[in-house]
Amino acid sequence: MTARSIIRLVGTVAVLWGALGAARAEVSTVRLAKQFGISYLPLTVMEEEGLLEKQAKQRGLDVKAEWLRFTGGSGMNEALLSGNLDLASGGVGPFLTIWGRTQGNLKVKGVAALNAMPLWLVTINPAVKAITDFGPQDKIALPTAKTSIQAITLQMAAEKAFGPGQQAKLDPLTVSMGHPDAQTAMMGGRSEITAHFGSPPFQEMELKDPRARKVLDSYDVMGGPHTFNLVWATNRFVTENPKVTAAFRAALEESLALIRDDPARAAALWIKAEGAKISPEEAVAIIRAPQNAWTTKPERMLAYLAYMNRAGLVSAKADSESELFFPDPNAAGTPKEANR
């Protein structure tokens, strides 16, 4: 082989090696999103403490986390589908919707659950003692009409209260609105909003007002604790970024450990980040409430899926919750819980 041939061969190998390295390179910026409320505490702690960047560095990656904010899961799904978001977070309803619709292409799955929490439907209408008392004069605010976990839970409750085929009876009363705006609208008493199907801490803050009462608890509808929020991504992102995905899961576990071991610090981080008008003691009380669990373990998601299958909202089916999630890249074992 001549010297010129060797040089050409070396050059070709270098090009191929560079292309292979580029193909294997993981993202340097991770675009994550969260919504409003203390239920996103694990992600807030992760952001404020730089846990994703820390865990990525331990895996030899220099990663920047870019955090975005949405008011509902449907907006996140649109961003995920358009390639403008890597890791979405929200309630079970929006997740199961995109999971079901992408099994033939993007194959969206859950990366990890964040918590199990009850969702309360609160009203200031003194005539409403149960959901059967709502009338045309009422408007129920929730994150996204028809698809949010609150909307799906309301449909399930309506089916039980009004009978089979009546699950959409209260849908005309629902209004899509972010939790902070919904709380302000209802408690201000000057808007058409007379009820809010919210989440912590908005529901707890609303019930401090003597005009407000709880008319529905999602734990009652579901027959026990259920997953509220989780994080999801496309199969392509997880497959092409195994170290980043592992770093995210490790950062989430570290965040949950901080919440478990030092709820006061976690509460302070969340209050400062959100500018929340709630005392540290109130935030800690919500974090430590026995009905709230900060856990990566999914609960009763198949019950939600069964309803959405029956109602024609999602056609894809699953026999186990593991089918809804990507495997944990860090360990093959029981997901860890922060508290219950």
Side-chain angles (χ1 to χ4, degrees):
M1 181 178 291
T2 66
R4 180 174 295 181
S5 298
I6 292 175
I7 292 173
R8 287 177 177 173
L9 178 61
V10 171
T12 301
V13 170
V15 170
L16 291 174
W17 183 257
L20 180 61
R24 289 181 175 177
E26 301 199 23
V27 295
S28 58
T29 298
V30 184
R31 299 162 300 176
L32 311 93
K34 57 182 178 176
Q35 300 179 48
F36 293 96
I38 203 168
S39 63
Y40 294 93
L41 178 62
L43 299 182
T44 298
V45 170
M46 188 186 300
E47 178 182 8
E48 295 302 309
E49 295 289 283
L51 300 182
L52 177 57
E53 294 89 337
K54 169 188 170 184
Q55 290 291 340
K57 191 171 290 293
Q58 291 178 5
R59 290 162 173 78
L61 300 176
D62 187 11
V63 166
K64 174 186 176 183
E66 181 180 313
W67 292 89
L68 307 172
R69 180 65 66 89
F70 289 77
T71 59
S74 61
M76 288 207 190
N77 283 342
E78 292 174 5
L80 195 71
L81 294 175
S82 64
N84 294 315
L85 185 64
D86 300 317
L87 293 165
S89 65
V92 173
F95 163 69
L96 289 176
T97 298
I98 194 171
W99 170 83
R101 292 177 179 175
T102 61
Q103 289 311 292
N105 41 64
L106 294 177
K107 296 182 179 179
V108 170
K109 285 188 177 183
V111 176
L114 295 178
N115 51 51
M117 285 183 162
L119 309 174
W120 301 341
L121 175 57
V122 177
T123 185
I124 59 169
N125 183 346
V128 175
K129 305 287 193 300
I131 64 170
T132 51
D133 296 327
F134 281 116
Q137 75 283 356
D138 292 296
K139 291 296 180 184
I140 304 170
L142 38 74
T144 307
K146 298 185 179 181
T147 60
S148 64
I149 185 174
Q150 288 88 350
I152 298 300
T153 304
L154 183 61
Q155 290 178 6
M156 296 173 73
E159 184 182 55
K160 291 181 179 181
F162 299 107
Q166 297 297 308
Q167 65 269 12
K169 187 176 181 63
L170 298 178
D171 281 5
L173 305 183
T174 60
V175 177
S176 298
M177 190 176 292
H179 293 313
D181 291 338
Q183 179 187 6
T184 299
M186 181 177 73
M187 302 313 296
R190 295 183 178 180
S191 77
E192 62 179 359
I193 304 300
T194 59
H196 176 207
F197 208 159
S199 69
F202 306 102
Q203 56 196 28
E204 287 85 356
M205 295 167 67
E206 290 163 357
L207 288 177
K208 288 183 177 182
D209 192 302
R211 297 173 298 161
R213 68 163 55 84
K214 179 172 68 173
V215 295
L216 190 69
D217 186 318
S218 64
Y219 276 13
D220 293 336
V221 177
M222 301 305 296
H226 62 80
T227 294
F228 173 21
N229 297 132
L230 67 155
V231 174
W232 59 89
T234 64
N235 181 69
R236 178 177 179 178
F237 176 82
V238 171
T239 300
E240 294 183 353
N241 300 277
K243 289 185 179 180
V244 170
T245 303
F248 173 81
R249 282 297 306 249
L252 178 58
E253 296 292 359
E254 188 174 355
S255 177
L256 292 173
L258 188 153
I259 294 169
R260 175 193 64 220
D261 298 336
D262 196 347
R265 181 182 170 195
L269 287 170
W270 179 77
I271 291 173
K272 181 180 179 181
E274 296 281 314
K277 293 177 172 52
I278 182 174
S279 71
E281 293 76 17
E282 291 171 323
V284 169
I286 294 174
I287 292 171
R288 300 184 64 181
Q291 71 269 23
N292 297 333
W294 306 95
T295 175
T296 59
K297 178 184 178 182
E299 294 193 65
R300 287 183 169 82
M301 289 182 62
L302 290 184
Y304 273 110
L305 180 58
Y307 165 75
M308 295 178 78
N309 288 155
R310 189 170 68 252
L313 301 173
V314 175
S315 59
K317 298 182 179 180
D319 295 322
S320 68
E321 285 168 331
S322 63
E323 296 178 43
L324 304 175
F325 287 83
F326 294 108
D328 182 350
N330 295 320
T334 303
K336 300 174 184 178
E337 293 192 15
N339 74 284
R340 163 140 316 147

